[in-house]
Structures are given as C-alpha cells and as structure tokens.
Amino acid sequence: MFKKKRVLRKEVILWMTVCLSSMLCVTIIVPGLLVKKIPTDEVYPIPIEDSTLQETSTGQGLMIPVYLTKQATVQTVPLEQYVKGVLAAEMPVDFELEALKAQAMAARTYVVRRVIEKDYSNMPVNDALVTDTTAHQAYLTDQELRTKWDKTKYETNMAKIDRAVNETKDKILTYGHVPINATFFSTSNGYTENSEEYWPFASPYLRSVPSPWDIKLSSRYQESVTISYKTMLQKLGVASIATTTDTSAKGMKVLSWSTGHRIKSMTIGGKVFTGREVREKLGLASSQFAWKWAGSQITITTFGYGHGVGLSQWGANGMAKEGKTAEEIVTYYYTGISIENAASFLGKS
C-alpha cells in the first residue's frame, strides 16, 4: 500500500516537472519566434485613414509612391528625387536656374501638402500618392530621362536639375504656417487669375498679378484652332449657333470678364457657359480667346496657355532673366506666402 502511494507521488511530481518545463520553454522560445527583428533602416509609416496607402520615412527621408501610368506600376522614390523628376518633366531645362528653383519649391510643396492632408484624389490605384501625369504633376523617371536626352545632354541637364533641387532642398511654400496649394501653369495672357474665378474656391495667396514677361518670351502665348460648326454643337451641347457677327441670343457673346482678363461667362447658342467650361469642352489652350466664323467653321485664337492660377512658368523665367531670385519669384506669384522647411511639418505627421 505504502509502496503504491510512493510510486503514485513520484509520477505526480514527474508529471508536474514536465508541465513546468514545457511552460518555461513556451515562455522563452515562442515570443522570440513571434518578435520581428527591426532592420537597421527602420521604417516609420505615416498613418493613413480610409486607404491602404502608406508613405514611409526611411534613412533617405520621406518616400513618395508614384503611379507610373504607362508601366502600370508604382515606383517609390525619395522626396527630393521625386522633385527632380517633376522639375525635368514640368519645366524646360534650358530655363534660368532661378526659375527652375522656383518650380522646384512649388513642386515640393504640392506633394508635401498631399502627404500632410492625406489627399489621394484622382488616383487610379490605392497604393500610390500621385500619378506621373498632369492630373497631379508630370513626372519622369531617371530611365525615361536617359531615353529623352542623349548621354551628353543627360549629364549636363541633370547637373542643372540637381543644382536647382539641391539649392532649395526641403524648402516649401506656406501661408499661415500651412503648405499652400502651389498651382502653376505654362503661360499667362499677361495676368494670372484669382483662384475663385477659375475654380470653386478662394485662396488668399492665389491672387491675380500682372505677368508681362510671357507675351514676349513664350511660344505658346498665342495659338489658333479651327473647329467645324457640327463639332461646336456636339461639344457644347447646343442646338444651333448664329454664325453672324451680331450679338443675338443664339450667337456668341461675352457676358463678363475676370480680374485676370479672361472670359468669366459667355452665351453660346442661347446657353450660358463659364470661360473655363468653354475652354475644357473645346480643348482650348486658355479661357481668354477671340473667334471668327468663316462659313461652317470657326477659328478660335487663344492668349496664354493653361488655367492661369498661381505661378506662370514663362513668367518665372522672364523674372529670372531680369535677375530676380527664386524667392522673389515665388513670393510674387503667390501673394503673402512664406518659405519654410518641409521637415518641420513632416515631423508632425
């Protein structure tokens, strides 16, 4: 009897020892298996609401995921590399250095603002912040630039692009200590436009200012396009248009002009349009235009190229040719702004 009890007690003690040993192993080993080792280039994701996108900040700084439209892939590049690709795509490389620097600050501001505001508008995919098209900012990869320029031009041009970006590194444009909506366009009609006279919002820094340099410098200041009567009806959605030079209700007549000397509203075929609507429906270069009918065709002559709000690229080049600095250029085209470091904003994201 006593022997059986001793044997039973030994079995219980042995069973408890095995259990304790197993629990100890689980406590020590399993967490080690579950913990992911942190690499040396530790990644800090910026939290994104209602999106699968995560911009990341690494040892290279803020990384920007760009959707490459033709390749249908996403390329993630450091912020400053992204600005170089935008600068090379958006502004002629033979422009003055100070104009390129002004454009670099505007391009950097645009994408930093999207990061901070978590703005993923006009994106065809969920895992990128911007496309490489003018829906956001035109952008060219390094490989595309090597294809665009021969070897000698690539090295010379990239040296200039690098200098413009490096000399403005981390600089963005702000208003009231908030990154601005740094809109820009190619060529003015002699003036830039108030934001609310083209878009449905008013910005205190997007004010109309004279931009006389474009008229003399830009090859895109004046353009003409001929459109058939039938095409006009189809694109504008009207039943008929009087093609005489009178100002009858069925003809074409300007009703009001904007501060920037563009067509604000007009009537065509008895229907009222904004200048922007006519420009976009007919694919015109600008919302300042004149026209002349010749039989069943109309020739429309435009003045300026682009929406006209913010920085004029050809105007910036004209200012640079007169000795103005990049800082003077951006503070002229963006009323009342300041220049600050992007890092101070991204650190708060």
Side-chain angles (χ1 to χ4, degrees):
M1 184 67 177
F2 290 111
K3 287 182 179 180
K4 287 183 178 181
K5 286 183 178 181
R6 281 196 296 271
V7 171
L8 182 60
R9 193 178 294 116
K10 289 180 179 180
E11 290 177 351
V12 170
I13 292 170
L14 180 60
W15 178 81
M16 290 178 66
T17 302
V18 171
C19 287
L20 289 171
S21 299
S22 299
M23 290 175 66
L24 184 61
C25 288
V26 169
T27 302
I28 295 172
I29 297 172
V30 172
L33 295 174
L34 295 177
V35 173
K36 184 179 180 180
K37 292 185 178 180
I38 301 175
T40 54
D41 55 342
E42 186 174 3
V43 176
Y44 301 91
I46 298 174
I48 305 301
E49 296 176 1
D50 302 323
S51 173
T52 59
L53 172 64
Q54 285 191 333
E55 305 97 12
T56 58
S57 179
T58 68
Q60 294 178 292
L62 183 71
M63 303 294 288
I64 306 298
V66 186
Y67 180 70
L68 306 180
T69 308
K70 293 180 181 178
Q71 298 90 329
T73 58
V74 176
Q75 180 188 68
T76 302
V77 294
L79 171 62
E80 298 302 322
Q81 181 62 40
Y82 170 73
V83 174
K84 291 176 184 179
V86 171
L87 184 55
E90 287 281 7
M91 181 173 273
V93 71
D94 60 356
F95 270 25
E96 299 292 319
L97 179 64
E98 293 302 309
L100 289 165
K101 289 165 65 174
Q103 178 69 68
M105 286 190 279
R108 186 181 296 107
T109 303
Y110 177 88
V111 73
V112 167
R113 184 173 186 266
R114 281 181 72 88
V115 170
I116 292 172
E117 294 191 351
K118 300 177 173 59
D119 180 2
Y120 314 113
S121 57
N122 300 321
M123 288 302 303
V125 294
N126 293 326
D127 54 349
L129 179 68
V130 288
T131 65
D132 58 354
T133 71
T134 53
H136 301 102
Q137 298 186 116
Y139 169 84
L140 291 171
T141 65
D142 185 69
Q143 185 57 51
E144 287 172 326
L145 291 174
R146 289 178 184 276
T147 302
K148 179 180 179 180
W149 300 318
D150 62 36
K151 185 177 180 181
T152 303
K153 286 185 177 179
Y154 171 83
E155 293 176 354
T156 302
N157 292 347
M158 282 309 300
K160 190 174 182 181
I161 294 293
D162 287 346
R163 183 180 174 187
V165 174
N166 292 339
E167 289 187 7
T168 63
K169 184 177 180 180
D170 199 44
K171 300 296 182 184
I172 62 171
L173 315 175
T174 65
Y175 185 90
H177 198 56
V178 176
I180 70 169
N181 183 12
T183 59
F184 55 87
F185 62 98
S186 170
T187 305
S188 83
N189 63 341
Y191 300 86
T192 67
E193 192 63 274
N194 288 333
S195 59
E196 68 274 16
E197 295 189 81
Y198 192 82
W199 291 311
F201 64 86
S203 294
Y205 49 83
L206 296 176
R207 301 294 87 198
S208 178
V209 297
S211 186
W213 306 277
D214 314 55
I215 300 172
K216 294 180 180 180
L217 295 176
S218 178
S219 60
R220 307 215 66 173
Y221 169 70
Q222 183 175 320
E223 297 182 2
S224 294
V225 60
T226 300
I227 306 173
S228 71
Y229 178 80
K230 183 179 179 180
T231 299
M232 286 284 287
L233 298 183
Q234 291 175 338
K235 291 190 174 183
L236 295 173
V238 296
S240 65
I241 304 173
T243 60
T244 58
T245 56
D246 64 36
T247 57
S248 64
K250 288 292 184 179
M252 295 175 63
K253 179 183 178 181
V254 176
L255 299 177
S256 61
W257 294 88
S258 70
T259 306
H261 299 241
R262 293 168 179 80
I263 295 175
K264 190 172 184 179
S265 63
M266 69 181 299
T267 180
I268 304 177
K271 186 176 180 180
V272 177
F273 298 89
T274 64
R276 176 187 175 181
E277 287 174 332
V278 177
R279 179 199 171 208
E280 293 179 349
K281 288 178 181 293
L282 299 182
L284 304 178
S286 167
S287 54
Q288 184 194 347
F289 52 88
W291 63 89
K292 183 178 181 180
W293 285 99
S296 61
Q297 292 188 320
I298 185 174
T299 297
I300 301 177
T301 301
T302 54
F303 303 91
Y305 187 83
H307 50 68
V309 184
L311 180 140
S312 166
Q313 294 174 321
W314 279 92
N317 198 43
M319 290 185 71
K321 284 180 177 293
E322 292 182 355
K324 301 298 184 183
T325 66
E327 291 75 17
E328 289 174 316
I329 293 169
V330 294
T331 53
Y332 178 77
Y333 281 108
Y334 302 112
T335 305
I337 66 159
S338 300
I339 300 174
E340 300 186 64
N341 292 326
S344 62
F345 292 89
L346 296 171
K348 299 173 183 178
S349 298

